[in-house]
Amino acid sequence: MKILGIIPARYASTRFPGKPLAVIAGKPMIQWVYERASETFEWCYVATDNDTIKQAVEVFGGKVVMTSELHRSGTDRCAEALDIIQSELNEQFDVVVNIQGDEPFIQPQQLNRVVSCFVNPDVQIATLVKPFAPGEDVFNPNSPKVILNRNSEAIYFSRSVIPYVRGKEQSQWPGSFRFLKHIGLYAYRTDILHKITRLQPSPLELAESLEQLRWLENGYRITVVETD
């Protein structure tokens, strides 16, 4: 099974422009992410739409491809990058792992866990979750929550707290249910990646601003792996 790691990195951001270039312990954030991913994947690339990010990656010796400025999401950018890389290398990949460019502390074992899902030929998309830590704000809308079925597949993702804990004060909810926080790391079979990026934005996706809801609404399955 051939795995391709892609790190989508854009410069424009409403909350933190240029975030991939923010310096942490003497290195740009994107370099930390790239080095972690390269420990796991033989083929690893940054996909960007910005010349400054491209130059920064080339300075530390990373591989980078330029993609369109028009992409709505990192998943869309990964799909274009996949086509470019396969054409340049004359290789065909089985699985693409989408590693966020602002996750400098991602661990190789987390990447390996999400890739291990694809030993099962029925897995289409995989992602990671972890339990909310004691004292962590489960009500924070910037920390999407997910609920699973008995096959460890996502039923729904939400910025709201799910499930609703009936009969308890909200202050008691964190101790009444094991809430799961989504970690924005995805892996997709390459044929599935191309299919989901052709889908139109869906009502639930637009309401929550979570692209994975588009996939669920269209009947795709997302396998979920728990990490620390």
Side-chain angles (χ1 to χ4, degrees):
M1 186 165 57
K2 287 189 176 180
I3 312 295
L4 175 62
I6 300 178
I7 306 166
R10 66 189 187 102
Y11 191 91
S13 171
T14 54
R15 289 189 295 178
F16 192 163
K19 187 175 182 180
L21 300 179
V23 176
I24 301 173
K27 297 180 185 179
M29 185 183 298
I30 192 68
Q31 183 173 352
W32 286 107
V33 179
Y34 185 90
E35 289 174 351
R36 295 290 177 91
S38 296
E39 292 177 28
T40 305
F41 305 124
E42 179 181 356
W43 292 283
C44 184
Y45 287 76
V46 173
T48 188
D49 58 2
N50 180 267
D51 284 329
T52 304
I53 292 176
K54 178 177 182 289
Q55 291 166 10
V57 174
E58 290 173 339
V59 164
F60 66 74
K63 298 174 183 175
V64 59
V65 294
M66 290 294 289
T67 52
S68 170
E69 297 178 351
L70 303 178
H71 292 307
R72 298 172 298 186
S73 69
T75 299
D76 293 330
R77 196 173 305 284
C78 282
E80 183 190 359
L82 169 65
D83 291 340
I84 294 170
I85 294 163
Q86 288 191 144
S87 177
E88 288 182 352
L89 298 180
N90 194 27
E91 293 274 3
Q92 294 295 311
F93 292 94
D94 301 298
V95 172
V96 169
V97 183
N98 174 352
I99 308 129
Q100 290 193 9
D102 59 356
E103 290 285 352
F105 305 113
I106 192 75
Q107 297 298 316
Q109 59 265 33
Q110 293 176 313
L111 299 173
N112 284 322
R113 290 205 70 185
V114 78
V115 167
S116 70
C117 295
F118 293 90
V119 172
N120 180 345
D122 293 329
V123 170
Q124 299 177 322
I125 304 167
T127 193
L128 293 178
V129 297
K130 66 178 181 179
F132 278 84
E136 192 173 4
D137 184 9
V138 71
F139 298 97
N140 182 354
N142 294 318
S143 296
K145 276 64 69 174
V146 59
I147 50 175
L148 312 179
N149 64 21
R150 291 186 181 275
N151 296 320
S152 294
E153 295 170 339
I155 298 172
Y156 192 70
F157 296 83
S158 182
R159 296 185 183 279
S160 299
V161 179
I162 51 174
Y164 179 93
V165 182
R166 187 181 179 196
K168 299 279 188 180
E169 296 292 333
Q170 284 196 352
S171 61
Q172 298 176 308
W173 285 14
S176 303
F177 188 85
R178 190 170 180 268
F179 294 99
L180 296 175
K181 177 169 66 173
H182 183 222
I183 298 173
L185 170 75
Y186 294 107
Y188 336 76
R189 293 200 188 275
T190 51
D191 61 324
I192 298 296
L193 174 58
H194 282 122
K195 289 176 181 177
I196 62 177
T197 51
R198 296 188 190 108
L199 299 172
Q200 293 300 308
S202 68
L204 291 175
E205 174 193 7
L206 294 173
E208 296 256 20
S209 190
L210 295 173
E211 65 171 333
Q212 62 269 37
L213 294 177
R214 185 194 327 172
W215 315 336
L216 291 179
E217 281 190 83
N218 282 277
Y220 290 93
R221 300 184 308 278
I222 304 175
T223 298
V224 177
V225 181
E226 188 172 315
T227 186
D228 297 330

